[in-house]
Amino acid sequence: MKNLENPITFLTNKDPEEPAIIAGPCSAESKEQVMATADAILSKGSAHIFRAGIWKPRTRPNSFEGIGEEGLPWLTAVKEKYNIPVSTEVAKTSHIEAALKHNIDLLWIGARTTASPFAMQEIADALRGVDIPVLVKNPVNAELALWIGGMERLNQAGINKIGAIHRGFSGIENTIYRNLPMWHLAMDLKRVHPEIPVICDPSHICGKREPIAHVAQHAVDLNLDGLMIETHINPDVALSDSGQQLTPDSLDSLLSNLVTKKEYSTKAQFEQKLEYLRAKIDRLDDELVELLKGRGQISVEIGKLKQTEQVTVFQQGRLDELLELRKDSAKKKGVNPEMVEDIFKRIHTESVELQCNLQHEKED
Ligand code: PEP
Ligand code: MN
């Protein structure tokens, strides 16, 4: 991507060590609700950027679909009163035209929109020639390329102040989360594009209030660049996402309990200790690689044996047995059995590959 600039640094003059805080209601509902929420958050200085959804992509029809253009002057009023950037979600050309007309400072693209390349292209085309910061939420499905692809479309249309919002991914399993965090995808994005700030949205990850503070701390511990937290003056009567919005007071206490951290320390004693422990980890990791090599060699021998006996490479029973044995052993040793299961599924896939390749070599 070309000429990327940090949208948060562009909009605010916050301390670069502190996470950027974007707060405000899920939806703008009335002028009174927007102003009361803004007053309660901003009089305490609890946010760097104010948010409110004007057009709401709802899962089912006949729910509150946002107040529409009528609500944009309420955001402008917050901006004027507190001299703070304001932001809203846009999903199509008409939204962008209206948001620009009302001098909205920052646009974000919702998760359902990022999932659609046609919609992203329409947005990019509507923004061609406009200099406005845009944050792109991860698509609902766990696909990093689609997330990056959305940002690339904007960048190719000339948008260069691009940030990302990690709001979790839909999953079929029943978990404590509304959207699975799958933190590794946010970390992968940071690795591929370290110049793009990633803001975590714990509200949509959690779907309920209680775990939000914990998830927010986790994001900060992973060195993500900020938090977008839905905050409503009276969450219980909110017209959307009622269960996950915080009151301004609980936002305030979340932020004051948040332990912010720096990525590095210059203290010699700390550095020495870290280096010593990392050297130990590196030795163990190398042994793991050595063990995997030995395991691969035995797997090839097994493959040859199966070949002479015309036995299939994959045997479901053996995989099930192997996973059960390793999970049991993990449990006994106090190691997370789910992690062990994931690792051994991958190791087993590799074994199957090795043995299949043997078969193909013979055919060649
Ligand atoms: C929102 O931020 O209110 C919203 C609709 O989010 P998402 O696109 O992550 O569902
Ligand atoms: Mn919401």
Side-chain angles (χ1 to χ4, degrees), residues 65-108:
E65 303 221 300
I67 193 78
E69 191 165 346
E70 181 191 340
L72 287 170
W74 311 337
L75 286 181
T76 319
V78 172
K79 173 177 166 157
E80 277 164 12
K81 185 164 179 190
Y82 289 99
N83 189 25
I84 191 174
V86 292
S87 61
T88 200
E89 171 173 347
V90 292
K92 52 186 189 177
T93 308
S94 59
H95 298 165
I96 292 171
E97 286 168 354
L100 294 177
K101 198 166 83 194
H102 290 272
N103 297 319
I104 300 302
D105 304 283
L106 167 72
L107 306 176
W108 86 77

mmCIF file of all heavy atoms in Angstrom, residues 65-108:
data_model
loop_
_atom_site.group_PDB
_atom_site.id
_atom_site.type_symbol
_atom_site.label_atom_id
_atom_site.label_comp_id
_atom_site.label_asym_id
_atom_site.label_seq_id
_atom_site.Cartn_x
_atom_site.Cartn_y
_atom_site.Cartn_z
ATOM 1 N N GLU A 65 -32.767 0.520 12.250
ATOM 2 C CA GLU A 65 -31.707 0.502 11.236
ATOM 3 C C GLU A 65 -30.922 1.810 11.188
ATOM 4 O O GLU A 65 -30.299 2.128 10.187
ATOM 5 C CB GLU A 65 -32.302 0.169 9.872
ATOM 6 C CG GLU A 65 -33.046 -1.170 9.935
ATOM 7 C CD GLU A 65 -32.852 -2.075 8.748
ATOM 8 O OE1 GLU A 65 -33.199 -1.645 7.639
ATOM 9 O OE2 GLU A 65 -32.354 -3.212 8.934
ATOM 10 N N GLY A 66 -30.959 2.536 12.287
ATOM 11 C CA GLY A 66 -30.199 3.787 12.358
ATOM 12 C C GLY A 66 -31.098 4.971 12.067
ATOM 13 O O GLY A 66 -32.085 4.859 11.344
ATOM 14 N N ILE A 67 -30.720 6.127 12.618
ATOM 15 C CA ILE A 67 -31.548 7.331 12.493
ATOM 16 C C ILE A 67 -31.389 7.942 11.104
ATOM 17 O O ILE A 67 -32.250 8.671 10.626
ATOM 18 C CB ILE A 67 -31.179 8.331 13.627
ATOM 19 C CG1 ILE A 67 -32.204 9.446 13.752
ATOM 20 C CG2 ILE A 67 -29.804 8.921 13.449
ATOM 21 C CD1 ILE A 67 -33.437 9.003 14.470
ATOM 22 N N GLY A 68 -30.261 7.638 10.453
ATOM 23 C CA GLY A 68 -29.998 8.197 9.119
ATOM 24 C C GLY A 68 -29.452 9.610 9.188
ATOM 25 O O GLY A 68 -29.084 10.104 10.270
ATOM 26 N N GLU A 69 -29.441 10.272 8.034
ATOM 27 C CA GLU A 69 -28.770 11.573 7.875
ATOM 28 C C GLU A 69 -29.164 12.597 8.938
ATOM 29 O O GLU A 69 -28.349 13.420 9.354
ATOM 30 C CB GLU A 69 -29.057 12.105 6.458
ATOM 31 C CG GLU A 69 -28.188 13.287 6.130
ATOM 32 C CD GLU A 69 -28.169 13.639 4.635
ATOM 33 O OE1 GLU A 69 -28.630 12.808 3.818
ATOM 34 O OE2 GLU A 69 -27.693 14.750 4.332
ATOM 35 N N GLU A 70 -30.396 12.504 9.400
ATOM 36 C CA GLU A 70 -30.905 13.415 10.436
ATOM 37 C C GLU A 70 -29.976 13.478 11.664
ATOM 38 O O GLU A 70 -29.901 14.514 12.360
ATOM 39 C CB GLU A 70 -32.291 12.878 10.864
ATOM 40 C CG GLU A 70 -32.999 13.672 11.888
ATOM 41 C CD GLU A 70 -34.236 12.906 12.442
ATOM 42 O OE1 GLU A 70 -34.744 11.960 11.784
ATOM 43 O OE2 GLU A 70 -34.659 13.288 13.546
ATOM 44 N N GLY A 71 -29.243 12.378 11.929
ATOM 45 C CA GLY A 71 -28.387 12.324 13.133
ATOM 46 C C GLY A 71 -27.021 12.952 12.930
ATOM 47 O O GLY A 71 -26.299 13.190 13.914
ATOM 48 N N LEU A 72 -26.637 13.227 11.682
ATOM 49 C CA LEU A 72 -25.269 13.733 11.455
ATOM 50 C C LEU A 72 -25.000 15.084 12.140
ATOM 51 O O LEU A 72 -23.919 15.272 12.708
ATOM 52 C CB LEU A 72 -24.963 13.778 9.958
ATOM 53 C CG LEU A 72 -24.750 12.383 9.326
ATOM 54 C CD1 LEU A 72 -24.695 12.472 7.801
ATOM 55 C CD2 LEU A 72 -23.495 11.711 9.858
ATOM 56 N N PRO A 73 -25.979 16.028 12.135
ATOM 57 C CA PRO A 73 -25.712 17.297 12.836
ATOM 58 C C PRO A 73 -25.472 17.106 14.335
ATOM 59 O O PRO A 73 -24.804 17.924 14.967
ATOM 60 C CB PRO A 73 -26.995 18.115 12.590
ATOM 61 C CG PRO A 73 -27.638 17.506 11.396
ATOM 62 C CD PRO A 73 -27.261 16.063 11.406
ATOM 63 N N TRP A 74 -25.983 16.022 14.931
ATOM 64 C CA TRP A 74 -25.727 15.780 16.357
ATOM 65 C C TRP A 74 -24.244 15.493 16.564
ATOM 66 O O TRP A 74 -23.650 15.918 17.556
ATOM 67 C CB TRP A 74 -26.565 14.607 16.894
ATOM 68 C CG TRP A 74 -28.025 14.685 16.540
ATOM 69 C CD1 TRP A 74 -28.721 15.818 16.222
ATOM 70 C CD2 TRP A 74 -28.941 13.596 16.461
ATOM 71 N NE1 TRP A 74 -30.026 15.503 15.948
ATOM 72 C CE2 TRP A 74 -30.205 14.142 16.094
ATOM 73 C CE3 TRP A 74 -28.868 12.229 16.667
ATOM 74 C CZ2 TRP A 74 -31.337 13.357 15.920
ATOM 75 C CZ3 TRP A 74 -29.986 11.438 16.513
ATOM 76 C CH2 TRP A 74 -31.212 12.010 16.137
ATOM 77 N N LEU A 75 -23.658 14.752 15.596
ATOM 78 C CA LEU A 75 -22.215 14.475 15.696
ATOM 79 C C LEU A 75 -21.418 15.764 15.508
ATOM 80 O O LEU A 75 -20.436 16.009 16.211
ATOM 81 C CB LEU A 75 -21.795 13.440 14.655
ATOM 82 C CG LEU A 75 -22.221 11.999 14.951
ATOM 83 C CD1 LEU A 75 -21.736 11.050 13.868
ATOM 84 C CD2 LEU A 75 -21.647 11.565 16.288
ATOM 85 N N THR A 76 -21.874 16.587 14.565
ATOM 86 C CA THR A 76 -21.187 17.870 14.351
ATOM 87 C C THR A 76 -21.257 18.709 15.624
ATOM 88 O O THR A 76 -20.299 19.400 15.982
ATOM 89 C CB THR A 76 -21.839 18.636 13.170
ATOM 90 O OG1 THR A 76 -22.133 17.687 12.144
ATOM 91 C CG2 THR A 76 -20.933 19.704 12.626
ATOM 92 N N ALA A 77 -22.388 18.612 16.326
ATOM 93 C CA ALA A 77 -22.530 19.392 17.577
ATOM 94 C C ALA A 77 -21.533 18.908 18.627
ATOM 95 O O ALA A 77 -20.925 19.712 19.346
ATOM 96 C CB ALA A 77 -23.969 19.277 18.090
ATOM 97 N N VAL A 78 -21.318 17.584 18.709
ATOM 98 C CA VAL A 78 -20.327 17.037 19.657
ATOM 99 C C VAL A 78 -18.933 17.546 19.289
ATOM 100 O O VAL A 78 -18.152 17.979 20.144
ATOM 101 C CB VAL A 78 -20.352 15.486 19.628
ATOM 102 C CG1 VAL A 78 -19.206 14.911 20.456
ATOM 103 C CG2 VAL A 78 -21.692 14.958 20.117
ATOM 104 N N LYS A 79 -18.661 17.513 17.988
ATOM 105 C CA LYS A 79 -17.352 17.958 17.501
ATOM 106 C C LYS A 79 -17.093 19.412 17.882
ATOM 107 O O LYS A 79 -16.014 19.766 18.355
ATOM 108 C CB LYS A 79 -17.364 17.772 15.978
ATOM 109 C CG LYS A 79 -16.204 18.313 15.231
ATOM 110 C CD LYS A 79 -16.384 17.963 13.756
ATOM 111 C CE LYS A 79 -15.417 18.775 12.932
ATOM 112 N NZ LYS A 79 -15.149 18.122 11.653
ATOM 113 N N GLU A 80 -18.128 20.244 17.713
ATOM 114 C CA GLU A 80 -17.951 21.665 18.013
ATOM 115 C C GLU A 80 -17.824 21.912 19.514
ATOM 116 O O GLU A 80 -16.986 22.684 19.966
ATOM 117 C CB GLU A 80 -19.103 22.469 17.430
ATOM 118 C CG GLU A 80 -18.828 22.745 15.963
ATOM 119 C CD GLU A 80 -20.056 23.197 15.190
ATOM 120 O OE1 GLU A 80 -21.091 23.523 15.818
ATOM 121 O OE2 GLU A 80 -19.969 23.199 13.943
ATOM 122 N N LYS A 81 -18.641 21.198 20.287
ATOM 123 C CA LYS A 81 -18.626 21.440 21.729
ATOM 124 C C LYS A 81 -17.311 20.980 22.374
ATOM 125 O O LYS A 81 -16.786 21.648 23.263
ATOM 126 C CB LYS A 81 -19.817 20.715 22.382
ATOM 127 C CG LYS A 81 -19.960 20.986 23.851
ATOM 128 C CD LYS A 81 -21.338 20.578 24.361
ATOM 129 C CE LYS A 81 -21.441 20.837 25.858
ATOM 130 N NZ LYS A 81 -22.659 20.247 26.421
ATOM 131 N N TYR A 82 -16.788 19.844 21.925
ATOM 132 C CA TYR A 82 -15.608 19.275 22.609
ATOM 133 C C TYR A 82 -14.331 19.337 21.783
ATOM 134 O O TYR A 82 -13.294 18.837 22.213
ATOM 135 C CB TYR A 82 -15.897 17.833 23.036
ATOM 136 C CG TYR A 82 -16.886 17.801 24.173
ATOM 137 C CD1 TYR A 82 -18.234 17.551 23.930
ATOM 138 C CD2 TYR A 82 -16.485 18.084 25.468
ATOM 139 C CE1 TYR A 82 -19.151 17.555 24.965
ATOM 140 C CE2 TYR A 82 -17.398 18.098 26.512
ATOM 141 C CZ TYR A 82 -18.729 17.838 26.261
ATOM 142 O OH TYR A 82 -19.631 17.855 27.282
ATOM 143 N N ASN A 83 -14.419 19.893 20.574
ATOM 144 C CA ASN A 83 -13.253 19.983 19.712
ATOM 145 C C ASN A 83 -12.564 18.613 19.590
ATOM 146 O O ASN A 83 -11.381 18.451 19.850
ATOM 147 C CB ASN A 83 -12.283 21.039 20.292
ATOM 148 C CG ASN A 83 -11.173 21.332 19.318
ATOM 149 O OD1 ASN A 83 -11.347 21.136 18.113
ATOM 150 N ND2 ASN A 83 -10.025 21.758 19.826
ATOM 151 N N ILE A 84 -13.375 17.634 19.226
ATOM 152 C CA ILE A 84 -12.900 16.249 19.170
ATOM 153 C C ILE A 84 -13.334 15.650 17.829
ATOM 154 O O ILE A 84 -14.412 16.002 17.326
ATOM 155 C CB ILE A 84 -13.497 15.454 20.363
ATOM 156 C CG1 ILE A 84 -12.810 14.090 20.484
ATOM 157 C CG2 ILE A 84 -14.987 15.294 20.276
ATOM 158 C CD1 ILE A 84 -13.238 13.327 21.718
ATOM 159 N N PRO A 85 -12.513 14.788 17.203
ATOM 160 C CA PRO A 85 -12.951 14.179 15.942
ATOM 161 C C PRO A 85 -14.141 13.241 16.165
ATOM 162 O O PRO A 85 -14.223 12.571 17.195
ATOM 163 C CB PRO A 85 -11.729 13.372 15.479
ATOM 164 C CG PRO A 85 -10.605 13.741 16.371
ATOM 165 C CD PRO A 85 -11.163 14.361 17.604
ATOM 166 N N VAL A 86 -15.051 13.213 15.200
ATOM 167 C CA VAL A 86 -16.223 12.336 15.303
ATOM 168 C C VAL A 86 -16.218 11.344 14.138
ATOM 169 O O VAL A 86 -15.700 11.631 13.066
ATOM 170 C CB VAL A 86 -17.541 13.149 15.324
ATOM 171 C CG1 VAL A 86 -17.659 13.947 16.604
ATOM 172 C CG2 VAL A 86 -17.659 14.067 14.103
ATOM 173 N N SER A 87 -16.802 10.171 14.406
ATOM 174 C CA SER A 87 -16.722 9.112 13.392
ATOM 175 C C SER A 87 -18.031 8.355 13.276
ATOM 176 O O SER A 87 -18.814 8.274 14.231
ATOM 177 C CB SER A 87 -15.612 8.136 13.778
ATOM 178 O OG SER A 87 -15.904 7.542 15.018
ATOM 179 N N THR A 88 -18.267 7.820 12.083
ATOM 180 C CA THR A 88 -19.441 6.979 11.883
ATOM 181 C C THR A 88 -19.150 5.919 10.830
ATOM 182 O O THR A 88 -18.148 5.988 10.114
ATOM 183 C CB THR A 88 -20.680 7.822 11.503
ATOM 184 O OG1 THR A 88 -21.852 7.045 11.773
ATOM 185 C CG2 THR A 88 -20.703 8.227 10.032
ATOM 186 N N GLU A 89 -20.057 4.930 10.762
ATOM 187 C CA GLU A 89 -19.892 3.839 9.796
ATOM 188 C C GLU A 89 -20.565 4.198 8.474
ATOM 189 O O GLU A 89 -21.687 4.710 8.463
ATOM 190 C CB GLU A 89 -20.544 2.560 10.362
ATOM 191 C CG GLU A 89 -20.628 1.437 9.347
ATOM 192 C CD GLU A 89 -21.123 0.112 9.924
ATOM 193 O OE1 GLU A 89 -21.179 -0.029 11.170
ATOM 194 O OE2 GLU A 89 -21.456 -0.777 9.120
ATOM 195 N N VAL A 90 -19.867 3.925 7.368
ATOM 196 C CA VAL A 90 -20.474 4.107 6.045
ATOM 197 C C VAL A 90 -20.427 2.791 5.291
ATOM 198 O O VAL A 90 -19.494 2.008 5.442
ATOM 199 C CB VAL A 90 -19.759 5.207 5.223
ATOM 200 C CG1 VAL A 90 -19.994 6.577 5.830
ATOM 201 C CG2 VAL A 90 -18.261 4.929 5.094
ATOM 202 N N ALA A 91 -21.464 2.570 4.467
ATOM 203 C CA ALA A 91 -21.509 1.299 3.733
ATOM 204 C C ALA A 91 -21.797 1.500 2.256
ATOM 205 O O ALA A 91 -21.714 0.547 1.487
ATOM 206 C CB ALA A 91 -22.559 0.387 4.354
ATOM 207 N N LYS A 92 -22.169 2.716 1.862
ATOM 208 C CA LYS A 92 -22.414 2.948 0.431
ATOM 209 C C LYS A 92 -22.240 4.421 0.086
ATOM 210 O O LYS A 92 -22.086 5.273 0.988
ATOM 211 C CB LYS A 92 -23.783 2.423 0.029
ATOM 212 C CG LYS A 92 -24.924 2.909 0.866
ATOM 213 C CD LYS A 92 -26.187 2.182 0.438
ATOM 214 C CE LYS A 92 -27.391 2.797 1.103
ATOM 215 N NZ LYS A 92 -28.640 2.184 0.662
ATOM 216 N N THR A 93 -22.318 4.708 -1.228
ATOM 217 C CA THR A 93 -22.014 6.054 -1.723
ATOM 218 C C THR A 93 -22.857 7.127 -1.030
ATOM 219 O O THR A 93 -22.329 8.165 -0.618
ATOM 220 C CB THR A 93 -22.248 6.110 -3.253
ATOM 221 O OG1 THR A 93 -21.518 5.020 -3.819
ATOM 222 C CG2 THR A 93 -21.780 7.400 -3.860
ATOM 223 N N SER A 94 -24.153 6.883 -0.882
ATOM 224 C CA SER A 94 -25.004 7.932 -0.300
ATOM 225 C C SER A 94 -24.586 8.241 1.143
ATOM 226 O O SER A 94 -24.647 9.397 1.578
ATOM 227 C CB SER A 94 -26.484 7.524 -0.371
ATOM 228 O OG SER A 94 -26.666 6.317 0.331
ATOM 229 N N HIS A 95 -24.134 7.203 1.887
ATOM 230 C CA HIS A 95 -23.655 7.456 3.259
ATOM 231 C C HIS A 95 -22.428 8.369 3.222
ATOM 232 O O HIS A 95 -22.296 9.289 4.032
ATOM 233 C CB HIS A 95 -23.240 6.153 3.949
ATOM 234 C CG HIS A 95 -24.347 5.154 4.111
ATOM 235 N ND1 HIS A 95 -24.109 3.838 4.418
ATOM 236 C CD2 HIS A 95 -25.696 5.280 4.014
ATOM 237 C CE1 HIS A 95 -25.258 3.192 4.527
ATOM 238 N NE2 HIS A 95 -26.240 4.044 4.267
ATOM 239 N N ILE A 96 -21.535 8.062 2.279
ATOM 240 C CA ILE A 96 -20.280 8.835 2.214
ATOM 241 C C ILE A 96 -20.584 10.295 1.866
ATOM 242 O O ILE A 96 -20.058 11.221 2.496
ATOM 243 C CB ILE A 96 -19.320 8.197 1.188
ATOM 244 C CG1 ILE A 96 -18.859 6.846 1.741
ATOM 245 C CG2 ILE A 96 -18.128 9.104 0.884
ATOM 246 C CD1 ILE A 96 -18.091 5.994 0.785
ATOM 247 N N GLU A 97 -21.468 10.487 0.901
ATOM 248 C CA GLU A 97 -21.800 11.865 0.505
ATOM 249 C C GLU A 97 -22.361 12.636 1.697
ATOM 250 O O GLU A 97 -21.970 13.778 1.963
ATOM 251 C CB GLU A 97 -22.802 11.849 -0.655
ATOM 252 C CG GLU A 97 -22.117 11.441 -1.953
ATOM 253 C CD GLU A 97 -23.100 11.125 -3.091
ATOM 254 O OE1 GLU A 97 -24.345 11.111 -2.845
ATOM 255 O OE2 GLU A 97 -22.605 10.874 -4.212
ATOM 256 N N ALA A 98 -23.266 11.992 2.442
ATOM 257 C CA ALA A 98 -23.881 12.677 3.588
ATOM 258 C C ALA A 98 -22.837 12.944 4.677
ATOM 259 O O ALA A 98 -22.783 14.048 5.243
ATOM 260 C CB ALA A 98 -25.035 11.841 4.139
ATOM 261 N N ALA A 99 -21.984 11.952 4.967
ATOM 262 C CA ALA A 99 -20.973 12.123 6.026
ATOM 263 C C ALA A 99 -20.008 13.247 5.670
ATOM 264 O O ALA A 99 -19.638 14.053 6.533
ATOM 265 C CB ALA A 99 -20.225 10.811 6.249
ATOM 266 N N LEU A 100 -19.625 13.333 4.411
ATOM 267 C CA LEU A 100 -18.682 14.384 3.997
ATOM 268 C C LEU A 100 -19.344 15.759 4.084
ATOM 269 O O LEU A 100 -18.733 16.733 4.517
ATOM 270 C CB LEU A 100 -18.172 14.129 2.577
ATOM 271 C CG LEU A 100 -17.295 12.875 2.392
ATOM 272 C CD1 LEU A 100 -16.918 12.684 0.922
ATOM 273 C CD2 LEU A 100 -16.039 12.938 3.268
ATOM 274 N N LYS A 101 -20.629 15.797 3.705
ATOM 275 C CA LYS A 101 -21.364 17.065 3.762
ATOM 276 C C LYS A 101 -21.396 17.611 5.194
ATOM 277 O O LYS A 101 -21.363 18.815 5.425
ATOM 278 C CB LYS A 101 -22.801 16.822 3.253
ATOM 279 C CG LYS A 101 -23.540 18.083 2.843
ATOM 280 C CD LYS A 101 -24.790 17.743 2.042
ATOM 281 C CE LYS A 101 -25.941 17.402 2.991
ATOM 282 N NZ LYS A 101 -27.078 16.756 2.351
ATOM 283 N N HIS A 102 -21.429 16.703 6.170
ATOM 284 C CA HIS A 102 -21.518 17.131 7.576
ATOM 285 C C HIS A 102 -20.160 17.133 8.280
ATOM 286 O O HIS A 102 -20.102 17.146 9.512
ATOM 287 C CB HIS A 102 -22.519 16.254 8.326
ATOM 288 C CG HIS A 102 -23.940 16.499 7.897
ATOM 289 N ND1 HIS A 102 -24.737 17.459 8.460
ATOM 290 C CD2 HIS A 102 -24.674 15.946 6.910
ATOM 291 C CE1 HIS A 102 -25.916 17.462 7.865
ATOM 292 N NE2 HIS A 102 -25.910 16.550 6.917
ATOM 293 N N ASN A 103 -19.083 17.080 7.480
ATOM 294 C CA ASN A 103 -17.717 17.175 8.033
ATOM 295 C C ASN A 103 -17.380 16.133 9.096
ATOM 296 O O ASN A 103 -16.742 16.455 10.107
ATOM 297 C CB ASN A 103 -17.475 18.570 8.635
ATOM 298 C CG ASN A 103 -17.554 19.619 7.566
ATOM 299 O OD1 ASN A 103 -17.047 19.412 6.454
ATOM 300 N ND2 ASN A 103 -18.219 20.724 7.860
ATOM 301 N N ILE A 104 -17.845 14.917 8.893
ATOM 302 C CA ILE A 104 -17.432 13.828 9.786
ATOM 303 C C ILE A 104 -15.935 13.606 9.553
ATOM 304 O O ILE A 104 -15.467 13.638 8.418
ATOM 305 C CB ILE A 104 -18.264 12.552 9.479
ATOM 306 C CG1 ILE A 104 -19.759 12.832 9.683
ATOM 307 C CG2 ILE A 104 -17.782 11.361 10.289
ATOM 308 C CD1 ILE A 104 -20.162 13.302 11.067
ATOM 309 N N ASP A 105 -15.180 13.418 10.651
ATOM 310 C CA ASP A 105 -13.715 13.384 10.534
ATOM 311 C C ASP A 105 -13.145 12.028 10.164
ATOM 312 O O ASP A 105 -12.064 11.928 9.597
ATOM 313 C CB ASP A 105 -13.085 13.788 11.884
ATOM 314 C CG ASP A 105 -13.581 15.139 12.336
ATOM 315 O OD1 ASP A 105 -13.107 16.136 11.799
ATOM 316 O OD2 ASP A 105 -14.484 15.179 13.216
ATOM 317 N N LEU A 106 -13.852 10.979 10.580
ATOM 318 C CA LEU A 106 -13.293 9.637 10.423
ATOM 319 C C LEU A 106 -14.426 8.692 10.050
ATOM 320 O O LEU A 106 -15.493 8.722 10.674
ATOM 321 C CB LEU A 106 -12.660 9.222 11.767
ATOM 322 C CG LEU A 106 -12.272 7.768 11.964
ATOM 323 C CD1 LEU A 106 -11.045 7.426 11.132
ATOM 324 C CD2 LEU A 106 -11.950 7.487 13.434
ATOM 325 N N LEU A 107 -14.192 7.868 9.030
ATOM 326 C CA LEU A 107 -15.216 6.901 8.635
ATOM 327 C C LEU A 107 -14.740 5.511 9.038
ATOM 328 O O LEU A 107 -13.544 5.253 9.068
ATOM 329 C CB LEU A 107 -15.416 6.934 7.113
ATOM 330 C CG LEU A 107 -15.717 8.313 6.512
ATOM 331 C CD1 LEU A 107 -15.795 8.207 4.982
ATOM 332 C CD2 LEU A 107 -17.029 8.874 7.078
ATOM 333 N N TRP A 108 -15.692 4.644 9.387
ATOM 334 C CA TRP A 108 -15.278 3.246 9.523
ATOM 335 C C TRP A 108 -16.175 2.369 8.661
ATOM 336 O O TRP A 108 -17.315 2.726 8.368
ATOM 337 C CB TRP A 108 -15.205 2.799 10.985
ATOM 338 C CG TRP A 108 -16.477 2.308 11.620
ATOM 339 C CD1 TRP A 108 -17.074 1.097 11.440
ATOM 340 C CD2 TRP A 108 -17.302 3.023 12.561
ATOM 341 N NE1 TRP A 108 -18.212 1.014 12.200
ATOM 342 C CE2 TRP A 108 -18.371 2.171 12.891
ATOM 343 C CE3 TRP A 108 -17.238 4.288 13.147
ATOM 344 C CZ2 TRP A 108 -19.375 2.549 13.789
ATOM 345 C CZ3 TRP A 108 -18.242 4.663 14.027
ATOM 346 C CH2 TRP A 108 -19.282 3.802 14.349
#
